[in-house]
Amino acid sequence: MAGQQRVLLGVTGGIAAYKSAELVRELTARGCEVQVVMTRGAREFIGAATLQALSGRPVREALWDAAAEAAMSHIELARWGDCVLVAPATAQCLARLAHGLADDLLSTLCLATDAPVYLAPAMNRLMWSHPATRANCEVLASRGVTLLGPGTGAQACGETGPGRMLEPQALVAAMLDDAAGAGALVGRSVLITAGPTREPIDPVRYLTNRSSGKMGFALAAAARRAGARVVLVTGPVALAQPPGVERVDVETAAELHAAVHARVRDCDIFIGAAAVADYRPRDYVGEKIKKRDATLTLTLDRSPDVLASVAALESRPYTVGFAAETCEVEQHARDKLVRKQLDMIVANQVGPGRAFDTEDNELLVLWPGDGRQTFARASKRELAEALIALIASRSGCAAATVAS
Ligand code: PMT
């Protein structure tokens, strides 16, 4: 989305509403026309006069405002916006939108528009992680609504955790980049690895890990939704193939290496989300090993490092790795970023019930030059959407980018 766009800015009743004034300034500074729509709750936190002065337009508040409706009906208003941004979006707002309520002006507009809808959640950390809010976010994301944030940090209630609204500058940049990325990867080709590998010991035994493939599959689906041609090279998983994605099934690290290198020269972006076995048994025993001795020693050899080998290609794609760490996540991930000469690394803290084979996750993304962004706990689908938007914008692959 270039400048000169019409943004319907919904403001709901949370303490972060005080940032709405800055948000209006940021949007107008980037050439957007802004029409503010406040809920009743928002009025408790910020005055309409401030937002009216900054946006240069009367703030709309009520569905049943005869004078405002006569000037522009709510349906016309819904058509007016090129996009809708609700910031802050409270837990109450997410719940109402997830249920399709249309009992105030803002919820009616969100229902009556076919423009992209962006929500910037802001709430207490426990409200954010409550299963009801998680379910509402899933429903909204599955309907194509984009959730921007929240960030993690100190909260107005005195607690610390996920639930802070993103800062206005970051929010506007993310929205404009994402809007530019509606189809940002059209004409681009993305190669993604997913799942575990299996390294055979004998005909019935193998070495593997706990990866389910969910993260890699979510990334493949998100890249496809962004318009890319997607090839997904996957180890053994029990997941349905994402629509429109070419899938290549492999078993071992060596097979994964071969499958990637047969296709990598055609791709613009490579994302290594697979949990590739670092070691494999030196000798494959052709018959089932009998339990004769009290102990059994296996000699393991290093597997090929697929990610590092892609990054080392002379003409290489934008190369994104993952890092699964049990401790000192940021330091280990940054080491991998540098050592493997990656363009970006996505770090996750792993351990019992964390990252591997879970429905949701939280991520730390790093790139050279001290680049850093955190993604608060969310479903892998939501995280994949956000990651693909970030990768599209940072790789320069987005069809049309807006300077941030
Ligand atoms: O599959 P899920 O259940 O959804 O879980 C997601 C995940 C935790 C598996 C995923 O998000 C993740 O972190 N994947 C990388 C796991 C891993 O192997 O991390 P690592 O730190 O050991 O490897 C670093 C990077 O090198 C990874 O991009 C990996 O794909 C790559 N690698 C590692 C070894 C190897 N021989 N070849 C590689 O390409």
Side-chain angles (χ1 to χ4, degrees), residues 211-213 215 272-274 278 304 306-307 322 324 336 340 348 357 380:
S211 170
S212 63
M215 189 71 233
D278 287 321
V306 183
L307 181 64
F322 268 71
K336 272 182 193 159
K340 299 195 186 193
N348 29 202
D357 200 13
K380 285 180 177 172

Side-chain angles (χ1 to χ4, degrees), residues 193-197 209-219 237 239 253 256-257 270-279 302-310 320-325 332-333 336 340 342 345-350 354-361 363 380:
T193 67
T197 62
N209 59 64
R210 296 180 189 278
S211 170
S212 63
K214 286 175 190 163
M215 189 71 233
F217 273 58
L219 284 165
V237 295
L239 296 174
L256 189 120
H257 183 270
F270 174 76
I271 307 174
V276 187
D278 287 321
Y279 291 92
R302 281 283 286 270
S303 311
D305 192 316
V306 183
L307 181 64
S309 66
V310 169
V320 181
F322 268 71
E325 308 294 346
H332 288 313
K336 272 182 193 159
K340 299 195 186 193
L342 307 176
I345 195 151
V346 183
N348 29 202
Q349 168 104 43
V350 297
R354 298 186 78 164
F356 279 99
D357 200 13
T358 56
E359 294 307 319
D360 57 7
N361 200 5
L363 299 172
K380 285 180 177 172

Side-chain angles (χ1 to χ4, degrees), residues 47-72:
T50 309
L51 298 173
Q52 176 164 328
L54 291 168
S55 66
R57 290 172 170 271
V59 170
R60 296 283 298 258
E61 293 183 60
L63 190 53
W64 305 113
D65 178 334
E69 281 288 308
M72 191 193 279

Side-chain angles (χ1 to χ4, degrees), residues 185 190 192 218-220 222-223 226 271 383-393:
L185 295 178
V190 181
I192 299 175
L219 284 165
I271 307 174
L383 291 170
E385 290 286 346
L387 261 179
I388 289 295
L390 182 67
I391 291 168
S393 116

Side-chain angles (χ1 to χ4, degrees), residues 19-369:
K19 294 181 183 173
S20 304
E22 187 60 35
L23 204 46
V24 176
R25 282 181 68 98
E26 192 64 31
L27 285 164
T28 52
R30 284 169 168 263
C32 299
E33 282 183 67
V34 183
Q35 170 65 60
V36 178
V37 178
M38 289 171 75
T39 63
R40 220 140 46 105
R43 268 192 266 147
E44 305 292 330
F45 293 92
I46 186 164
T50 309
L51 298 173
Q52 176 164 328
L54 291 168
S55 66
R57 290 172 170 271
V59 170
R60 296 283 298 258
E61 293 183 60
L63 190 53
W64 305 113
D65 178 334
E69 281 288 308
M72 191 193 279
S73 77
H74 59 274
I75 296 296
E76 287 171 303
L77 191 56
R79 288 194 198 120
W80 176 87
D82 294 314
C83 66
V84 179
L85 169 63
V86 183
T90 58
Q92 156 85 348
C93 167
L94 298 181
R96 295 167 79 230
L97 297 186
H99 286 86
L101 298 190
D103 57 353
D104 70 0
L105 181 58
L106 182 59
S107 55
T108 304
L109 292 176
C110 289
L111 212 54
T113 183
D114 57 7
V117 175
Y118 298 88
L119 305 179
M123 66 199 73
N124 165 271
R125 68 182 176 91
L126 292 175
M127 293 169 79
W128 172 248
S129 49
H130 193 284
T133 306
R134 301 283 71 250
N136 291 333
C137 290
E138 255 307 287
V139 167
L140 290 165
S142 72
R143 291 187 192 139
V145 169
T146 304
L147 292 155
L148 301 171
T152 303
Q155 302 200 299
C157 55
E159 297 183 13
T160 300
R164 274 173 69 96
M165 188 173 99
L166 295 186
E167 292 306 316
Q169 225 184 345
L171 200 50
V172 170
M175 184 184 79
L176 294 179
D177 284 354
D178 185 83
L185 295 178
V186 169
R188 301 295 188 173
S189 174
V190 181
L191 180 59
I192 299 175
T193 67
T197 62
R198 281 181 187 168
E199 310 301 325
I201 299 169
D202 69 13
V204 298
R205 302 180 180 97
Y206 51 78
L207 295 176
T208 191
N209 59 64
R210 296 180 189 278
S211 170
S212 63
K214 286 175 190 163
M215 189 71 233
F217 273 58
L219 284 165
R224 180 70 199 116
R225 281 194 293 275
R229 191 157 47 81
V230 182
V231 180
L232 177 63
V233 180
T234 177
V237 295
L239 296 174
Q241 177 157 349
V245 168
E246 182 188 336
R247 172 173 173 167
V248 181
D249 287 283
V250 298
E251 189 152 315
T252 64
E255 287 171 12
L256 189 120
H257 183 270
V260 163
H261 280 278
R263 293 163 179 84
V264 72
R265 276 175 183 78
D266 296 332
C267 80
D268 301 294
I269 297 170
F270 174 76
I271 307 174
V276 187
D278 287 321
Y279 291 92
R280 59 186 173 196
R282 174 171 295 174
D283 300 309
Y284 173 76
V285 181
E287 301 296 334
K288 183 180 170 205
I289 300 172
K290 296 289 172 206
K291 52 172 191 280
R292 274 187 293 264
D293 304 320
T295 61
L296 174 71
T297 303
L298 287 176
T299 302
L300 305 180
D301 288 329
R302 281 283 286 270
S303 311
D305 192 316
V306 183
L307 181 64
S309 66
V310 169
L313 290 172
E314 201 174 318
S315 168
R316 70 183 220 179
Y318 186 83
T319 306
V320 181
F322 268 71
E325 308 294 346
T326 52
C327 64
E328 296 173 67
V329 175
E330 182 155 0
Q331 190 189 317
H332 288 313
R334 189 140 321 259
D335 286 350
K336 272 182 193 159
L337 177 78
V338 173
R339 185 163 27 87
K340 299 195 186 193
Q341 301 200 312
L342 307 176
D343 296 304
M344 182 183 282
I345 195 151
V346 183
N348 29 202
Q349 168 104 43
V350 297
R354 298 186 78 164
F356 279 99
D357 200 13
T358 56
E359 294 307 319
D360 57 7
N361 200 5
E362 53 195 312
L363 299 172
L364 166 67
V365 183
L366 305 172
W367 56 89

